[in-house]
Amino acid sequence: MIRFALRLSLSGGREAAARLVIIATAVALGVGMLLATLAGMNAVDAQNQRYSWLNTAVAPTSSDASADAMWWLVREDYYHGDSIGRVEVAALGPDAPVPPGIPRLPGPGEFYVSPALGELLDSAPAAELGDRFPGREVGTIGRAGLPSPDSLLVVVGRAPAELERLGAQWVSQIMTTSPSDCSKGCFVGINRDGMALVLSVVAAALLFPVLIFIGTATRLAATRREQRFAAMRLVGATPRQISVISAVESTMAATVGTVAGFGLFLAVRPGLAGIPFTGEPFFTADLSLTAVDVLLVALGIPLGAVVASWLALRRVQISPLGVSRRVTPKPPRVWRLVPLVVGLAELTYFIGRRPPTTNGQLAAYLSGFLLILTGLLLAGPWLTMIAARLLAGRAGRPATLIAARRLSDNPQAGFRSVSGLIVALFVTSVATGTITTYVANRGEPRTDSIAATSLSKWFRPEDGPPPTADQIPAELATIPGVRSVALVHRNPDPDGWGGVITCAELDRLAVYGSCPTGTQVVAVTDDLIGLRAFDLTNDTYVWEAADVDPAEVDRQPILSVVVNTTNRSAFERARTILIDTFPAGRFPISTAEWESTSARLLRQFQQLANVVMLASLPIAGCSLAVSVAGGLSDRKRPFSMLRLTGVRLRTLRRVVALETVAPLLLVAVVASGMGFLAAHLFLRAQLGYTLLAPHLSYYVLVVGGLAVSLGIIASTLPLLRRLTGPEAARNE
């Protein structure tokens, strides 16, 4: 029977061959995306594991009492907005632990650099970057110590006494626990659960339209196949034999598609590795698959195809006459709107009632989003039916009436082929609305904003006594491009902002805000930015008055030095001088740099959302095209009869086009609208922001994707002439 099934599948003519090719293509896309998702999660784990040594400050004490120790200090530096991990070490014995990627600990005056930082040191002026690292480069950090090919890392050697004064920690072993499993305050690494959640959402949004595509492909020419299988039943074939024939056909296509899917994954893996959706790209080898992953996909996909084929033939298995018992399906009921309404009500409830914990917020918002998405999928057929009935009531042409009546009679079938778009458009709209609004309110400021052009060096009490005014390098003011150098003194009032500055000095600086009328001294933050850190779209700010005599301000200890510049070269030269002069404590940084980190990650998530939409719309178009072709094949006799009675081919084309375009546009409007509404409710509940309109690029992507989908659909319409000729009117 298996041999007969193979022969039947391979010798069934062009229709059977086309069906097998389409199913195999759809399966290959699904397998490739599934493998990419599994490999992405494995890559996050691999990258996170190589972050572990950077958390050595919280490593437990070595169990070997005779092991030598070392002084260890990790800080974050920046260059042109890119983060540099700076590790400073001092061995306390010949057998001190050595970080991965380097053969030995660097001695005083030596340092190792990552390949990416080495290239940067070669190209950047020494006064802007290289002079920050004392001594000479003695080697390159190997891959074992690099989370990413683009990681900017340096391991600097210092004398033990010098590093102890800088606040280093005594450690006796290198941390090997992944940040995902660390319970002792690991601050360097990736939030694996968060990235797994993002990858899962992206995978679901990509896989759902592919699954719809596979399901649509398996139903290609379903009516004629059921009739032929029913004929076999009538001449003596058992239900088991029919199931075997169908399973062989589906398994063969799924197996070919699975093999092609593995090949597709291997082909795109280098490109996927370069996508920095964790903030940095992966090594290609990080995108690996475990044996369990391979077996799960290689065996699970063909098995799923067998189950799908069995379900598709349940009417033939019940009775060989079951295929002739075709009645209008029951119309969907209004109860399908319940999950959608409940999800919207849940998000609305949390406006003004934001849960206090992160876990509580995840539970509240994610459940609301899932309810809305589930509600959209359930309510889709009902909405399609209502729209079709409205269209039928206002139909002015036969084509519109026929298409609307067909959609209202079987809205499930009309909605099914476009339902893959629901997830993609909803996820993209939520991501676009949320990210656009967040970045507009708290994102990376303009490059000419004072938050981006000035940097501050903060002198914390725990870093030692603050410098005096004559210890501030005079050369800062002589750097070409430095606009001003300002000193902020410590506020004697513990209830106000940490610093104070005279209004005369603030007026001289001109760009750091202003004083209330009649005030001589104001309380300020150490960076002179203040609450503008939460609204970086403008540079105007009025500080609060401080009850301090102007003559007393310069007598207070210095809290920070703030340098304002006109270009990046001056900015980095000033940072280098401050690092070399004051090596203790936090390195100088601008407000824009620490804000840009989160904004950059959000933009990467936005790019992922755009990828979801760009990939899903053409796939949905292919599903529609296959659905149209299958529908034409199944209805070629009724359409032929209509043509014989005088109906024009142009009218039939309008019928087919309306049956597919109407659900497509309905889904696009409803899914996008619900996505933006959900984003607005989330923003109001979590951040108190009002949704802002997305950028033009969003509309371009949506309209462009829909245009591609419509083009794919239009490519199937020429089949109508060939399939509905007079010869098709005969009974088979």
Side-chain angles (χ1 to χ4, degrees), residues 308-324:
S309 67
W310 181 83
L311 293 175
L313 293 173
R314 57 189 181 276
R315 289 191 302 170
V316 180
Q317 292 169 338
I318 293 171
S319 166
L321 300 178
V323 295
S324 64

Side-chain angles (χ1 to χ4, degrees), residues 52 199 313 347 509 513 614 656 716 730:
S52 60
L199 284 174
L313 293 173
L347 292 181
L509 298 172
L614 287 174
V656 175
T716 64
R730 64 179 177 82

Side-chain angles (χ1 to χ4, degrees), residues 32 353 472 476 535:
R353 302 182 182 90
I472 303 299
L476 283 174
D535 181 14

Side-chain angles (χ1 to χ4, degrees), residues 173-402:
Q173 68 174 345
I174 300 296
M175 186 69 158
T176 57
T177 303
S178 171
S180 300
D181 303 319
C182 176
S183 59
K184 297 184 62 178
C186 293
F187 60 92
V188 181
I190 305 167
N191 181 349
R192 185 195 183 281
D193 293 338
M195 290 308 306
L197 176 62
V198 171
L199 284 174
S200 299
V201 171
V202 170
L206 286 172
L207 284 173
F208 192 75
V210 173
L211 293 176
I212 298 298
F213 186 19
I214 294 173
T216 304
T218 59
R219 285 188 292 271
L220 187 62
T223 301
R224 297 178 64 191
R225 290 175 63 244
E226 287 180 344
Q227 291 172 348
R228 290 170 181 173
F229 286 150
M232 292 181 187
R233 289 288 314 277
L234 289 173
V235 298
T238 65
R240 181 182 179 87
Q241 290 172 326
I242 296 298
S243 296
V244 169
I245 293 173
S246 177
V248 167
E249 181 185 37
S250 299
T251 303
M252 180 172 59
T255 301
V256 173
T258 301
V259 173
F262 274 91
L264 177 64
F265 164 71
L266 293 175
V268 302
R269 188 169 69 151
L272 291 175
I275 300 175
F277 62 84
T278 63
E280 292 187 300
F282 296 117
F283 289 103
T284 302
D286 289 342
L287 287 165
S288 60
L289 298 169
T290 65
V292 174
D293 295 335
V294 174
L295 290 175
L296 179 67
V297 175
L299 300 179
I301 297 298
L303 180 62
V306 172
V307 174
S309 67
W310 181 83
L311 293 175
L313 293 173
R314 57 189 181 276
R315 289 191 302 170
V316 180
Q317 292 169 338
I318 293 171
S319 166
L321 300 178
V323 295
S324 64
R325 298 172 184 171
R326 300 181 183 276
V327 295
T328 300
K330 292 182 179 180
R333 302 298 182 184
V334 72
W335 66 262
R336 289 171 173 266
L337 293 175
V338 172
L340 178 61
V341 174
V342 172
L344 292 173
E346 179 178 348
L347 292 181
T348 304
Y349 171 80
F350 286 107
I351 297 178
R353 302 182 182 90
R354 186 179 69 177
T357 64
T358 300
N359 289 336
Q361 293 166 10
L362 286 173
Y365 301 135
L366 283 179
S367 60
F369 286 134
L370 289 175
L371 278 172
I372 294 173
L373 183 56
T374 303
L376 285 172
L377 293 172
L378 286 176
W382 185 84
L383 294 173
T384 302
M385 179 187 69
I386 296 300
R389 289 178 178 177
L390 292 174
L391 186 64
R394 291 166 174 76
R397 294 184 177 183
T400 305
L401 181 61
I402 294 172

